[in-house]
Amino acid sequence: MARAIIVGGGIGGLTAALALRRLGMRICLLECNDRPGTGGTGLTLWPNALRQLERLGLQEEIVAHARPLLKGEVFDQSGKPLAEVDLSSIEARTGHPLICLREADLCRVLLDALGEVEVCAETTCFSYENHPDRVVAQTSRGVVEGDMLVAADGMRSRLRGQMLETDPLQYLGWMTWRGVARLPGGSFPEGLYREFFGRGSRFGIFAIGKDLVYWSGSRNGPAEAGGPVGPAHRAEALCAFAGWPDPVRSVIETTRAEDLVRSGVYDTQPLARWSDGRAVLLGDAAHPMTPDLGQGACQAIEDALCLAECVVAAATVPQALRAYERQGQERTASLVARSRRMGRMRQWQHPVMARFRNGLMRSIPPSVLLKLFNTR
């Protein structure tokens, strides 16, 4: 029985593990944290991702962790309305809703579906070696061998660095604070997405369920060092968005330190390769993108199902990985570029450009605005 080494226990790695296990492959999951599926805040799942999760028989269970987003409202920094969008039309058009949920909830569903597999927690994969009949992973706990290696080790993928012999990440000029917060009862309607545009800054709030929201605030500035997120970074966010309309301050204040993430926004130009012999990149390791289309997790899920399809169709593992690479590059290149363009427009800082952006938001028909987020 073929064995797949999955490096990374996030959404992409877990979905790949599940899809490949259903083909009859043995799975060895390498996770640097104490268990898979840890960390993260919230995310959106669009119909293209829910279609793939439906193929795995998981859509109903996943949607149960959220309420469909039904309405979007856009304001300027002072609270003046700019646009209103009917998000319920997404389900009417595609048969699948747009939802926002906690990353931990999605990972829990994937882990439960995956069942009993070999998991090596607190294990870092440093490198890999290709051989004609196997791939060998060098890890902090020794050598692991398999028939293929899937590098789902995130935006700062160590294995991508080995494959490309360079670091392709480019900082786009803004930092984000993201979190999940439980608000006072009835203070934020279910099914609502609300976004505020400032000059070189913005703040978005997504309803997950009753009084539970995911939020994201972005501000132009130099890339700053990472490190553990704690109360100091919550204070940073409060300072960055001081004076913004309600409920911006309350969602930041009610976010626990363990539910807060602070990071720079990065992406890459399309990578020359995603595969090398029996090793392949998946998710953010292959195509990091800005969060502006809400497609990061969605594309990782699509990657996983595409990989499984290619494994079934190809005669050898290297052939399967090259086919997956071709299909994935074609699918994601335009999305990464579109997300980058949208992010830069949202972050316009010059007062003339910010006013122009806000004017566009007021003048563009809501149906046209929603088409900017369309995926196939």
Side-chain angles (χ1 to χ4, degrees):
M1 185 185 298
R3 186 188 198 205
I5 305 168
I6 312 290
V7 182
I11 292 166
L14 291 174
T15 310
L18 180 57
L20 294 174
R21 188 182 187 193
R22 293 192 175 187
L23 300 182
M25 299 186 73
R26 290 183 297 129
I27 302 298
C28 175
L29 183 64
L30 308 182
E31 168 57 42
C32 61
N33 294 312
D34 59 354
R35 64 186 187 280
T38 59
T41 53
L43 54 89
T44 54
L45 289 181
W46 289 74
N48 60 306
L50 290 175
R51 278 195 297 270
Q52 304 304 319
L53 293 166
E54 187 175 42
R55 293 173 57 193
L56 295 172
L58 300 178
Q59 175 181 292
E60 185 175 342
E61 188 175 355
I62 288 167
V63 171
H65 286 280
R67 301 289 187 272
L69 291 170
L70 304 175
K71 181 181 178 182
E73 298 176 342
V74 185
F75 302 84
D76 68 13
Q77 187 176 335
S78 69
K80 184 183 299 183
L82 298 177
E84 187 173 299
V85 181
D86 176 15
L87 298 178
S88 67
S89 65
I90 294 173
E91 185 168 9
R93 177 173 54 84
T94 67
H96 298 274
L98 166 63
I99 64 171
C100 179
L101 75 166
R102 288 182 291 199
E103 186 172 342
D105 289 335
L106 175 55
C107 287
R108 192 174 303 113
V109 171
L110 294 169
L111 275 168
D112 289 346
L114 186 57
E116 294 296 325
V117 297
E118 181 184 358
V119 176
C120 299
E122 298 182 306
T123 303
T124 300
C125 183
F126 299 116
S127 63
Y128 65 88
E129 295 177 359
N130 272 305
H131 297 269
D133 60 344
R134 69 192 190 283
V135 62
V136 178
Q138 305 289 338
T139 82
S140 56
R141 293 179 179 266
V143 169
V144 179
E145 296 188 358
D147 296 276
M148 76 164 64
L149 181 147
V150 180
D153 52 343
M155 179 181 70
R156 298 188 179 278
S157 169
R158 183 192 300 262
L159 300 181
R160 181 187 62 212
Q162 175 184 346
M163 187 179 295
L164 300 180
E165 298 181 344
T166 186
D167 181 2
L169 280 180
Q170 54 187 8
Y171 177 61
L172 296 179
W174 61 94
M175 299 289 296
T176 67
W177 296 260
R178 295 177 288 122
V180 172
R182 188 167 295 280
L183 298 177
S187 61
F188 196 82
E190 290 188 27
L192 179 65
Y193 167 60
R194 183 174 289 163
E195 185 167 20
F196 301 91
F197 283 139
R199 288 175 48 194
S201 55
R202 56 189 152 119
F203 200 98
I205 308 169
F206 299 80
I208 294 176
K210 185 175 176 59
D211 305 320
L212 188 68
V213 301
Y214 163 59
W215 61 270
S216 175
S218 301
R219 189 175 184 88
N220 290 354
E224 298 181 22
V229 173
H233 290 151
R234 182 165 53 225
E236 280 183 351
L238 287 168
C239 180
F241 298 99
W244 283 55
D246 290 335
V248 170
R249 184 174 185 86
S250 61
V251 299
I252 300 172
E253 286 181 330
T254 55
T255 301
R256 302 177 303 173
E258 59 266 34
D259 294 325
L260 176 67
V261 171
R262 170 186 179 272
S263 61
V265 176
Y266 296 80
D267 71 5
T268 69
Q269 296 299 317
L271 302 185
R273 61 194 304 195
W274 289 14
S275 67
D276 174 25
R278 292 175 174 268
V280 73
L281 306 176
L282 185 143
D284 284 346
H287 46 73
M289 64 180 71
T290 78
D292 295 276
L293 293 179
Q295 281 290 318
C298 299
Q299 291 305 307
I301 291 167
E302 288 210 38
D303 285 351
L305 274 293
C306 177
L307 176 61
E309 290 172 352
C310 292
V311 169
V312 169
T316 68
V317 167
Q319 288 175 1
L321 302 191
R322 287 195 296 271
Y324 157 79
E325 174 186 80
R326 289 192 298 271
Q327 294 179 35
Q329 288 173 329
E330 181 179 351
R331 169 169 42 84
T332 60
S334 63
L335 287 174
V336 172
R338 194 197 325 166
S339 190
R340 183 190 311 127
R341 289 194 300 269
M342 190 174 292
R344 285 175 171 164
M345 180 271 290
R346 283 169 147 173
Q347 294 293 139
W348 279 344
Q349 186 161 352
H350 192 282
V352 173
M353 297 305 294
R355 285 196 298 270
F356 177 67
R357 176 202 59 209
N358 292 355
L360 281 177
M361 297 298 295
R362 282 191 293 265
S363 62
I364 296 176
S367 59
V368 175
L369 191 61
L370 196 53
K371 285 181 180 179
L372 296 174
F373 295 86
N374 280 356
T375 56
R376 59 177 181 79

